[in-house]
Amino acid sequence: MAVSAGTSALIATTLSILLLGGMQIFKAQLASTQLGTLLGGFLASQLFVLLLTAVSNFEMSTFGEGFQARVFPESRLHCMRLDRVCRCVCLQQTPSFLLN
């Protein structure tokens, strides 16, 4: 079932806020173990894709269906707050999500 671009932007924004809040709440646990930093990088790459979806769908609902996303959200900065390994995992996994 497809939803409109505005609804999709609202859903993606809500999910990204919830994900970012969860990452900030569990910041110490995510940065304390190796598995946690890998999970933090994975979550940050998901956050990047959600924010990219939210911005793109908001632009499409505002400027029309033929509009393409030209804004690059800087959600990667949030994974850099956790740990440098988390940052590397996020930077490595994000292109694979964008290509699928």
Side-chain angles (χ1 to χ4, degrees), residues 15-16 18-24 26-27 30 35-51 75-76 78-79 82 86 89-90 93-94 97:
L15 288 175
S16 64
L18 290 173
L19 182 60
L20 180 62
M23 288 175 69
Q24 289 299 318
F26 295 107
K27 179 171 41 175
L30 288 174
L35 185 60
T37 55
L38 292 175
L39 179 63
F42 176 75
L43 292 175
S45 63
Q46 294 295 320
L47 178 66
F48 169 73
V49 172
L50 282 171
L51 287 176
S75 66
R76 293 180 184 186
H78 299 295
C79 70
L82 296 175
C86 176
V89 171
C90 174
Q93 289 184 354
T94 300
F97 289 122

Side-chain angles (χ1 to χ4, degrees), residues 28-97:
Q29 290 87 354
L30 288 174
S32 65
T33 63
Q34 290 179 349
L35 185 60
T37 55
L38 292 175
L39 179 63
F42 176 75
L43 292 175
S45 63
Q46 294 295 320
L47 178 66
F48 169 73
V49 172
L50 282 171
L51 287 176
L52 186 64
T53 302
V55 169
S56 175
N57 287 335
F58 175 74
E59 288 176 346
M60 282 178 34
S61 67
T62 304
F63 302 118
E65 290 295 322
F67 193 79
Q68 293 181 352
R70 293 186 182 98
V71 176
F72 190 78
E74 297 297 330
S75 66
R76 293 180 184 186
L77 294 176
H78 299 295
C79 70
M80 293 179 190
R81 292 182 187 176
L82 296 175
D83 189 62
R84 61 187 162 161
V85 176
C86 176
R87 175 181 3 169
C88 293
V89 171
C90 174
L91 295 176
Q92 289 172 353
Q93 289 184 354
T94 300
S96 67
F97 289 122

